[in-house]
Amino acid sequence: MDPHRVILGEADLEGHNTDWLGMVRGASKVLLKPRNTEEVSTILKYCNDRRLAVCPQGGNTGLVGGSVPVFDEIIISTSLMTEIESVDRLSGVITCQSGCVLEALDQYAAEYGLMVPLDLGAKGSCHIGGNVSTNAGGLRVLRYGSLHGSVLGVEAVLASGEIVNCLSAMKKDNTGYDLKHLFIGSEGTLGIITKIAINCPPRPQAVNLSFLGLQTFDDVLTTFREAKDKLGEILSSCEFIDSSSMQCVEENLKLKPPIEPHPFYMLIETSGSNSSHDEEKLSSFLDYALGSGIVTDGTVATEPSRMQHIWSLRERIAEALVKDGYTYKYDISLPHSEFYKMVEDMRNHLGTGVIRCCGYGHIGDGNLHLNITTQEFDKNVLNQIEPAVYEWTAKVNGSVSAEHGLGFKKRNFMHYSKSLGAINLMKQLKSLMDPNGILNPYKVLPET
Ligand code: FAD
Ligand code: S2G
Ligand code: ZN
């Protein structure tokens, strides 16, 4: 038995039994690291025949407790499944194993003038298989859409060990039910994704990143609308950060924004193929935004290290919040009209009983990250937040999980965003595809 691929004993599994936030902890004693589809198939058949529960694990950066065992489920890690099978420069399709780390896959794509149509703060650790399993969103959904659109093919292994080959590199294939979509976003509960084929757009030649300071959230929405109108096809990301989030990054990570303090900040990125054309569009947009007063300060970066610093102010907020102590995390989709009211209402509701109540996120796709922190977990604070936050979201027809999935922590709140009929159909699919319930039990679907 290869000690590097079969790891036994809880002590050696610490990092695999605990989630990235350090909030969910399992007690697995067995970690398996298969290299390929056939090994995954053999493992699952063995476990299924003996009713042994498993927890599929990619980079373990998930934020809803889906990537770690609840009890002693066997952890099946994709960390050794990092082969890139093919790159088609003309079509832009890359086919690879599911354990490719997102950042490494994107660097590989760059050698062919392509880019992976997904970017998130966890890119250095998350696996493309984990991204597909959570239907991860991230910083560029505004430009490249959801993985349901950019993933063309999936190969997965069912609980029985059966290999389902939906690995097409074709952009059009209307032959029967599009089964790959069952695995995209199913968080390891319907099958283990072993390979994916993803459509990678041309890597932009010219990237500009503007960092803006604004006085009101209405100005944020107006600026977003103007950016869409005036930047059009070159707009590739639109993120916002409130002052409370920025204070957390300054206090806990000692990072400094490049402009004076403001109530709100925005990151507006353009990506195109002609820098002078793009810079002209961007400067006329910024002239308008500053001239009209919807933006009261700003800077533009084109140099990679400066862009990286500005992105770190946004991408490292999660890390900064963890340093406060305990984070109550809500990843919700809301209509833009209600967007920041959620933060203001929650802040008033909680008063001074918390360290901070902040809002930031992907304004471009209506995805708010509402985060509240206390020194330690406080049941009273949780009861003040839940279920109020979910009821608030449901009232405005939002989603109680925009991009992180439901995992273990949010599975009992699905009914705030899905009909009972839809939930029942999901349960029927689960019992059809995993009749013994060995795949990532206690995740996604509600307890009752
Ligand atoms: P894991 O955490 O290992 O697993 C996630 C889920 O997928 C689990 O349920 C697991 O069982 C299942 N799974 C993993 N691999 C497979 C597989 N091969 N087959 C079947 N099931 C599998 N998420 C966003 O959507 N947008 C963001 O902007 C974003 N930013 C983040 C920033 C930070 C700093 C951090 C820490 C996380 C962030 N996340 C974000 C959350 C997380 O990175 C994503 O959910 C990511 O897609 C998880 O990938 P992973 O490989 O780490 O999967
Ligand atoms: C992001 C990361 C996790 C969070 O930064 O976009 O998805 O909620 C988030 O802080
Ligand atoms: Zn996010």
Side-chain angles (χ1 to χ4, degrees):
M1 188 161 52
D2 179 343
H4 302 294
R5 306 218 288 133
V6 178
I7 295 100
L8 308 174
E10 247 181 282
D12 295 341
L13 268 62
E14 179 58 25
H16 293 270
N17 266 319
T18 315
D19 76 332
W20 185 87
L21 288 165
M23 290 159 76
V24 183
R25 190 182 303 274
S28 180
K29 297 182 183 60
V30 180
L31 164 63
L32 303 177
K33 296 185 176 183
R35 278 196 213 287
N36 55 45
T37 307
E38 292 64 33
E39 289 186 351
V40 172
S41 170
T42 308
I43 292 167
L44 284 182
K45 179 164 181 2
Y46 181 92
C47 293
N48 196 44
D49 292 349
R50 292 159 182 79
R51 308 288 187 276
L52 297 173
V54 302
C55 175
Q57 192 175 81
N60 196 14
T61 65
L63 296 163
V64 288
S67 57
V68 293
V70 178
F71 298 105
D72 62 350
E73 301 90 284
I74 293 166
I75 300 170
I76 299 178
S77 166
T78 53
S79 53
L80 297 184
M81 297 172 70
T82 57
E83 286 298 308
I84 295 174
E85 284 200 349
S86 66
V87 186
D88 181 326
R89 176 70 187 83
L90 183 60
S91 69
V93 180
I94 292 182
T95 303
C96 66
Q97 283 189 308
S98 53
C100 291
V101 173
L102 177 58
E103 191 168 46
L105 185 62
D106 186 56
Q107 283 158 357
Y108 186 89
E111 290 169 24
Y112 294 84
L114 302 171
M115 72 176 283
V116 176
L118 169 77
D119 186 11
L120 47 137
K123 57 174 131 344
S125 316
C126 61
H127 296 183
I128 194 68
N131 298 147
V132 175
S133 302
T134 54
N135 184 26
L139 305 162
R140 296 219 170 83
V141 168
L142 175 65
R143 172 68 168 271
Y144 300 111
S146 141
L147 288 175
H148 277 288
S150 41
V151 171
L152 302 173
V154 164
E155 175 195 75
V157 182
L158 300 181
S160 61
E162 186 188 344
I163 299 168
V164 178
N165 182 351
C166 300
L167 200 60
S168 164
M170 294 300 111
K171 292 188 177 134
K172 297 173 91 168
D173 171 10
N174 245 347
T175 51
Y177 303 134
D178 200 342
L179 295 176
K180 68 172 178 286
H181 293 293
L182 287 175
F183 299 104
I184 301 173
S186 61
E187 301 180 60
T189 58
L190 298 181
I192 294 188
I193 294 174
T194 43
K195 290 180 190 170
I196 60 120
I198 186 165
N199 185 21
C200 296
R203 201 167 195 87
Q205 316 285 322
V207 181
N208 291 289
L209 180 60
S210 43
F211 187 81
L212 310 176
L214 307 96
Q215 299 303 323
T216 69
F217 193 73
D218 280 348
D219 290 342
V220 169
L221 292 180
T222 309
T223 303
F224 170 47
R225 195 192 60 235
E226 292 300 331
K228 287 214 298 185
D229 293 350
K230 294 184 166 54
L231 299 173
E233 79 293 345
I234 64 169
L235 177 62
S236 52
S237 186
C238 187
E239 298 286 314
F240 97 102
I241 304 173
D242 72 4
S243 55
S244 174
S245 312
M246 188 58 82
Q247 274 156 21
C248 184
V249 166
E250 292 184 78
E251 287 163 14
N252 291 357
L253 302 181
K254 309 300 174 217
L255 292 178
K256 286 289 294 152
I259 60 173
E260 289 307 303
H262 278 74
F264 294 97
Y265 304 87
M266 289 179 84
L267 291 84
I268 292 183
E269 181 193 66
T270 65
S271 302
S273 52
N274 177 324
S275 49
S276 50
H277 162 268
D278 295 1
E279 274 154 26
E280 195 193 317
K281 272 178 113 165
L282 183 59
S283 57
S284 73
F285 159 66
L286 291 175
D287 289 349
Y288 169 79
L290 286 159
S292 63
I294 54 174
V295 167
T296 45
D297 196 353
T299 179
V300 179
T302 50
E303 202 268 315
S305 63
R306 212 158 157 257
M307 286 197 280
Q308 200 166 16
H309 169 70
I310 290 173
W311 271 120
S312 67
L313 298 169
R314 165 63 188 84
E315 290 184 342
R316 296 184 62 187
I317 300 174
E319 181 190 339
L321 289 163
V322 170
K323 291 182 183 298
D324 272 358
Y326 189 90
T327 316
Y328 310 80
K329 230 176 224 315
Y330 301 92
D331 155 44
I332 42 189
S333 284
L334 291 169
H336 282 118
S337 54
E338 308 294 329
F339 208 77
Y340 201 70
K341 263 168 65 28
M342 161 70 90
V343 184
E344 289 161 339
D345 284 4
M346 193 50 76
R347 197 174 281 155
N348 297 334
H349 180 57
L350 292 168
T352 55
V354 297
I355 296 175
R356 68 183 104 234
C357 172
C358 60
Y360 59 97
H362 318 285
I363 190 89
D365 27 281
N367 180 184
L368 170 70
H369 290 309
L370 167 69
N371 281 253
I372 294 130
T373 57
T374 52
Q375 201 119 31
E376 275 135 37
F377 173 68
D378 181 334
K379 185 83 179 138
N380 296 327
V381 170
L382 182 68
N383 291 338
Q384 281 182 284
I385 303 169
E386 295 179 17
V389 68
Y390 298 123
E391 288 160 350
W392 204 108
T393 302
K395 202 170 74 225
V396 297
N397 298 317
S399 165
V400 295
S401 182
E403 58 178 8
H404 296 163
L406 295 167
F408 171 67
K409 290 161 66 176
K410 312 253 168 168
R411 62 182 184 139
N412 290 325
F413 305 118
M414 189 189 325
H415 64 281
Y416 284 104
S417 299
K418 281 289 181 310
S419 69
L420 288 183
I423 295 173
N424 284 335
L425 183 54
M426 292 184 210
K427 288 178 178 175
Q428 287 165 33
L429 278 169
K430 170 72 175 176
S431 49
L432 173 77
M433 296 177 74
D434 177 18
N436 298 325
I438 69 158
L439 286 173
N440 230 3
Y442 323 108
K443 315 278 177 65
V444 181
L445 293 175
E447 268 166 297
T448 50

